[in-house]
Amino acid sequence: MNYTYTTSKDTTFGVYAGNFTGNQTTEVVLTEKINGTEYPLSGIAQLGQEIYQLSIRFPTNGSFAAAPLSEAFSSAQLQRALHYETDTFASIYLHNDGGGKFSTRPLPSAAQIAPIKGIIATDVDGDGHLDLIVAGNLYDAEPNTARADAGNGLWLRGTARATSPQYRRWRADSWHLSTSRASR
């Protein structure tokens, strides 16, 4: 959607950060869940350098490639690690539905070409509807992963049309900064 990795409701993307080597450092393991089983995304060549115990336990690329995460790491190691999981990389907005409940809506496809790192919510054009100015790129990717740097910034103009009372539609207008004003 806006990055090299992919994910879906059926194939989630995960990240574990923890001390997997016992040397008081934090190692990061990226994962993908396929058919309910979680696998490391990186091969033994990369992870084995960082977490040497894996190279001992899995001496060949083939043995590691077939191993689910639960065979590569103990349940105690995984439970101690910080763990996040997502089923989308879409840039979204959260609507406060009240009562501690939130709903999510993806931003328009024009806002999905690069990760959004900053949002300003304001009525840019004075029409009484909240607009969003979004910007972002991701330059600090790991080796062999392309940078996500296609974003030029975007003005998402709020409109009165809505698909439900809680959902505001945005029309994507490209914009760039000039010396005197934002222009389309």
Side-chain angles (χ1 to χ4, degrees), residues 8 25 40 68 82 96 115 117 135 181:
S8 70
T25 61
L82 178 65
N96 186 344
K117 305 283 251 175
R181 61 185 174 83

Side-chain angles (χ1 to χ4, degrees), residues 19-178:
N19 179 11
F20 294 109
T21 60
N23 64 2
Q24 303 307 310
T25 61
T26 301
E27 292 82 33
V28 175
V29 178
L30 304 179
T31 66
E32 183 177 25
K33 191 179 287 183
I34 302 170
N35 296 325
T37 303
E38 205 165 13
Y39 296 92
L41 276 175
S42 298
I44 193 68
Q46 182 179 351
L47 275 180
Q49 289 179 3
E50 189 173 344
I51 306 170
Y52 70 91
Q53 294 93 331
L54 292 176
S55 294
I56 296 168
R57 192 174 313 130
F58 300 97
T60 66
N61 289 328
S63 63
F64 186 71
L69 192 68
S70 59
E71 288 181 22
F73 300 98
S74 71
S75 60
Q77 287 176 307
L78 296 175
Q79 287 173 357
R80 283 192 306 265
L82 178 65
H83 177 234
Y84 291 106
E85 186 174 63
T86 186
D87 62 9
T88 184
F89 286 130
S91 294
I92 61 168
Y93 79 95
L94 296 172
H95 181 269
N96 186 344
D97 298 326
K101 303 258 187 227
F102 290 85
S103 57
T104 63
R105 298 279 191 239
L107 293 175
S109 59
Q112 304 298 342
I113 63 170
I116 291 176
K117 305 283 251 175
I119 299 176
I120 297 173
T122 188
D123 184 3
V124 174
D125 55 4
D127 67 356
H129 301 292
L130 187 64
D131 304 316
L132 299 178
I133 301 294
V134 301
N137 282 316
L138 183 63
Y139 296 106
D140 54 347
E142 68 260 0
N144 300 323
T145 302
R147 297 185 330 180
D149 60 357
N152 290 323
L154 203 58
W155 173 15
L156 300 174
R157 295 179 62 201
T159 66
R161 296 176 316 196
T163 56
S164 72
Q166 297 88 20
Y167 176 48
R168 174 179 303 283
R169 284 192 172 264
W170 277 283
R171 189 178 94 217
D173 288 332
S174 293
W175 65 283
H176 66 276
L177 293 178
S178 66

